[in-house]
Amino acid sequence: MNLFTDIRALVLDSLAEMAAEGVLPEGLSLDNVAVEPPRDAAHGDMATNAAMVLAKPAKMKPRDIAEALAGKLAADARITRAEVAGPGFLNLSLDPSVWTGLVTSVLTNEGYGRSTMGQGQKVNVEYVSANPTGPLHVGHTRGAVFGDALASLLEYAGHEVTREYYINDGGAQVDVLARSVYLRYLEAHGEAVEFPEGTYPGDYLVPVGEALKAKVGDAYVGKGEDTWLVEIREFATAAMMDLIREDLAMLGVKMDVFFSEKSLYGTGRIEAALEALDAKGLIYEGVLEPPKGKKPEDWEPREQTLFKSTEHGDDVDRPVKKSDGAWTYFAPDIAYHFDKVERGFDALIDIFGADHGGYVKRMKAAVSALSDGKTPLDIKLTQLVKLFKNGEPFKMSKRAGNFVTLRDVVEQVGSDVTRFHMLTRKNDATLDFDFDKVLEQSRDNPVYYVQYAHARVKSALRKAGDIALTDTPVLADDAEFSVAKKLAEWPRLVEIAARTHEPHRVAFYLYDLASEFHGLYHKGKDQPELKFVQEGDPVATAAKIALPRAVAVVISAGLGILGVTPAEEMR
């Protein structure tokens, strides 16, 4: 049940009747007609912009349309008042029975809020995709939470989702990893070592060096890179991916696909992707203009193989092969996304860190060209996370060498708190993560506030004991109706959040729902008739506790999307 969709259908039917009666012209597009919560609750329960969006194409005054529409809507038993406001907005008030029925629907319709909007569309969500050179850091944590919550949200809204991790194991950084592991290997043999600038000195490589010693003994001691580089690179990458999988598991993230960049090299897959672009006339040999800010004497023009990305919305054409014949970083990325397109996804989503902003246009251009514009690619950037403890910036992790790890965060505050708090800001806004504040027990801490609402419902149910529950609530007070109205927004919120790829909206909604619920709970302290448990009256209790039960259903569903376990009790 989606009450806003139901009332919008009523509005559209009424407009169709007005067109049939000659009040409106035939053939008007109704796509932009919306039914929404009013900005001010005092104005009613819902509002429609129908008259405003139809006035110009109908060549009529918006108030004339609104007044005629109001008369139609008022004839429906669900509408108690249809009032024209301002230049032509139409505010609607609904019969109390509508809200009673809404609560019953939440309790009786399994999966209340789930949507078929996605219509089974296959969506690939690629996220985290950190270089396999060490443990995940706090920036990866935000990308992991955001991507995982978005994937769950899309599934909830009716999409078929594949969660994917791109292993960047084809570049020079894995050679650096191999050299760093070799130093730990020598250290495991009792040698004193120093880590040159640019290597990875973190303690997390100590057990990898020891494991390598256990595997090969002293076979690589004193040997040159030509003896051990390839083997250690494979060994070290596998060890790091095991570590990364463990980190993701701590956060409750499980990928469907791990795709290796290395699998693209020497297999003809990069060549095939570029041949596909060449067949469309989008590959050529040329010389790029010097980058902005470069002086002419600093610029050496070289002929390169270029992708004509400007034909698909990019600012400049992009090199895919260097003048020496080596692939650019962009070439395997094109091949990887070509593979996604070839796998038949209807839409692609990439979650990048903030430092990849310059990659957005070129990747969108590549996917547009490869799919002939048929496969949309949305790229979401996750901004930085600033860590604080005791009001001070949080110190770096010795284990990692130079950054705070995902494991550092989860071990201090837990997966549930980490995940929820990472979604308390939109992905493209910087996030402050204060280890003390995220554990505070106050309404200023959204994690606690939402969890406490769910725990309060469970506490009330335990207090009510073994009574015969009813799915038909008794709603009488404004505070009760406010909670029911907030519950009605859940299906609408799900579709908006899924359509915009913004899972933070779920976290915001849950906080607002919890606020309405806590307000009702506290009002019951002064008005005993509002208490969820009516002492000595199991029938009244069953009717009063139906609304809190519905709140728990929606909070549990919302937290499920965010990957957070609902609290049964607060300690």
Side-chain angles (χ1 to χ4, degrees), residues 38-45 81 83 91 93:
R39 292 183 180 179
D40 185 344
H43 294 162
D45 300 324
R81 183 168 59 99
E83 185 175 66
N91 294 322
S93 296

Side-chain angles (χ1 to χ4, degrees), residues 83-97:
E83 185 175 66
V84 181
F89 288 103
L90 189 54
N91 294 322
L92 307 175
S93 296
L94 305 186
D95 189 83
S97 64

Side-chain angles (χ1 to χ4, degrees), residues 463-475:
K463 187 177 179 181
D466 189 19
I467 64 171
L469 297 174
T470 178
D471 296 329
T472 304
V474 173
L475 307 179

Side-chain angles (χ1 to χ4, degrees), residues 130-307:
N131 290 341
T133 54
L136 299 178
H137 61 61
V138 70
H140 299 137
T141 307
R142 189 176 189 187
V145 170
F146 175 78
D148 206 49
L150 176 55
S152 294
L153 172 62
L154 291 172
E155 286 175 334
Y156 198 82
H159 298 81
E160 182 183 328
V161 179
T162 296
R163 294 164 162 84
E164 188 151 324
Y165 187 118
Y166 182 55
I167 306 172
N168 292 279
D169 56 356
Q173 73 276 2
V174 289
D175 289 341
V176 177
L177 172 67
R179 296 182 184 109
S180 304
V181 168
Y182 181 70
L183 292 173
R184 290 299 187 188
Y185 165 76
L186 295 179
E187 190 176 59
H189 280 281
E191 296 190 19
V193 300
E194 291 186 7
F195 285 84
E197 184 74 24
T199 54
Y200 305 120
D203 292 346
Y204 63 89
L205 290 182
V206 171
V208 182
E210 292 171 345
L212 181 60
K213 175 188 173 183
K215 181 181 179 183
V216 302
D218 61 359
Y220 299 151
V221 175
K223 300 294 174 58
E225 283 191 6
D226 57 332
T227 301
W228 52 258
L229 184 64
V230 173
E231 287 78 7
I232 293 183
R233 184 170 57 200
E234 297 291 326
F235 183 86
T237 301
M240 289 303 95
M241 287 310 302
D242 287 342
L243 182 64
I244 286 170
R245 285 185 177 92
E246 290 174 9
D247 287 349
L248 292 174
M250 287 186 72
L251 203 57
V253 175
K254 185 177 181 182
M255 296 291 178
D256 298 313
V257 174
F258 284 88
F259 190 103
S260 167
E261 176 192 351
K262 192 160 63 69
S263 70
L264 299 170
Y265 291 90
T267 57
R269 298 167 85 174
I270 297 176
E271 291 83 352
L274 297 183
E275 285 169 8
L277 293 175
D278 192 25
K280 302 173 192 288
L282 297 174
I283 298 293
Y284 69 101
E285 301 297 319
V287 177
L288 290 175
E289 293 293 319
K292 291 180 181 179
K294 288 270 188 182
K295 294 180 181 180
E297 57 267 25
D298 296 332
W299 175 250
E300 184 179 344
R302 294 179 179 177
E303 188 173 82
Q304 302 175 85
T305 304
L306 303 173
F307 163 47

Side-chain angles (χ1 to χ4, degrees), residues 49-73:
N49 64 350
M52 301 298 293
V53 299
L54 295 179
K56 187 174 181 179
K59 298 180 180 179
M60 296 174 63
K61 293 179 180 179
R63 282 193 69 93
D64 291 345
I65 298 174
E67 287 169 1
L69 179 58
K72 291 282 185 184
L73 297 177

